[in-house]
Amino acid sequence: MTAPVLLLPGWHNSGPTHWQSLWQHTHGYTRVEQHSWDWPLRGDWMMQLEEAVLANPGAVLVAHSLGCVLVAAWAAHSLHAHHVKAALLVAPADVERPEMQQMLYSWSPIVRERLPFPSVMATSRNDPYCSFMRASALAHAWGSSMVDCGMSGHINAEANLGDWPEGFALLQDLLKEEVTHGY
C-alpha cells in the first residue's frame, strides 16, 4: 500500500501550472488547504497540517517554499510527527530576510531542529527567495539530504518545469518502504 501524499504549497498557494497542482491533478494527492494563502499565520498553518497528518497517518509531506518552513515549525511542536513517513522539501523560503519580516512576521525565526523523519531537500542555485548557502544550512539543521537542482529558480511554475519529473523521482524514492535519515 502506498503512503498518502500531502502537498504543502507556500505563500499564495500553487497555481494551476505549478508542479504541485499538476501532481495533485494527475495522482490524486491531497493539498493541505490553508485559511489564508495571502496572509499566512504560522500557528494557523501548523494546525491545518496537524489535522491533515492525523487524518493521513504514514503520509509523505511534499512542501514548497513557505511549506518547508511550516514542516520544520510543525515537527518541532507536534506530538504527532511520528505519523509522518518522510518529507520532500523544495526551495525553502528564507523568511528571515529583512524584506520578508513585515509580510511574514509570525514565521521568524525559522525552526532549526532536526526533523524526526527522513527528508530530502531540493534546492536551486539561483533561487531568488533563498540562497543556495542558506538552503544548505537549513538542510543540515533539519537533517535533510540535499539535492542540487542547478539553475532552476524557485522550482515553481515560473521555472517552466512542467510536472517536474526529477522531483517526482525524488518523491518515489521517499514512498519506497525503507527510507533512512540523511545528511
Side-chain angles (χ1 to χ4, degrees):
M1 188 169 119
T2 304
V5 174
L6 297 177
L7 302 171
L8 306 171
W11 191 20
H12 302 301
N13 203 349
S14 293
T17 59
H18 191 287
W19 56 267
Q20 282 186 318
S21 298
L22 297 174
W23 290 6
Q24 180 180 8
H25 177 74
T26 303
H27 305 288
Y29 298 152
T30 301
R31 180 183 308 249
V32 176
E33 294 292 340
Q34 299 296 344
H35 292 120
S36 177
W37 291 107
D38 297 328
W39 299 101
L41 296 174
R42 181 163 65 176
D44 183 48
W45 280 36
M46 287 170 59
M47 184 53 64
Q48 294 297 102
L49 177 53
E50 180 85 354
E51 291 178 5
V53 167
L54 288 173
N56 296 277
V60 172
L61 307 179
V62 178
H64 181 258
S65 192
L66 188 60
C68 300
V69 181
L70 167 63
V71 169
W74 171 81
H77 292 92
S78 176
L79 298 176
H80 304 287
H82 64 279
H83 289 298
V84 170
K85 179 178 181 177
L88 174 59
L89 308 170
V90 182
D94 183 359
V95 297
E96 294 176 341
R97 295 182 315 166
E99 65 272 22
M100 304 306 290
Q101 293 299 301
Q102 186 174 0
M103 296 173 281
L104 300 173
Y105 61 89
S106 70
W107 292 86
S108 291
I110 296 172
V111 173
R112 288 174 172 78
E113 294 179 21
R114 185 175 180 86
L115 297 174
F117 41 78
S119 60
V120 173
M121 180 190 290
T123 190
S124 167
R125 292 192 169 269
N126 64 336
D127 188 334
Y129 302 109
C130 187
S131 72
F132 188 77
M133 179 181 282
R134 182 78 153 171
S136 179
L138 290 173
H140 183 70
W142 295 339
S144 304
S145 300
M146 194 162 144
V147 175
D148 181 347
C149 294
M151 305 297 271
S152 300
H154 195 47
I155 312 178
N156 57 5
E158 288 75 33
N160 296 315
L161 300 171
D163 64 359
W164 192 39
E166 298 83 2
F168 191 72
L170 294 173
L171 173 59
Q172 295 312 300
D173 287 342
L174 289 173
L175 288 169
K176 290 178 183 171
E177 283 303 309
E178 294 301 317
V179 185
T180 59
H181 251 72
Y183 214 96

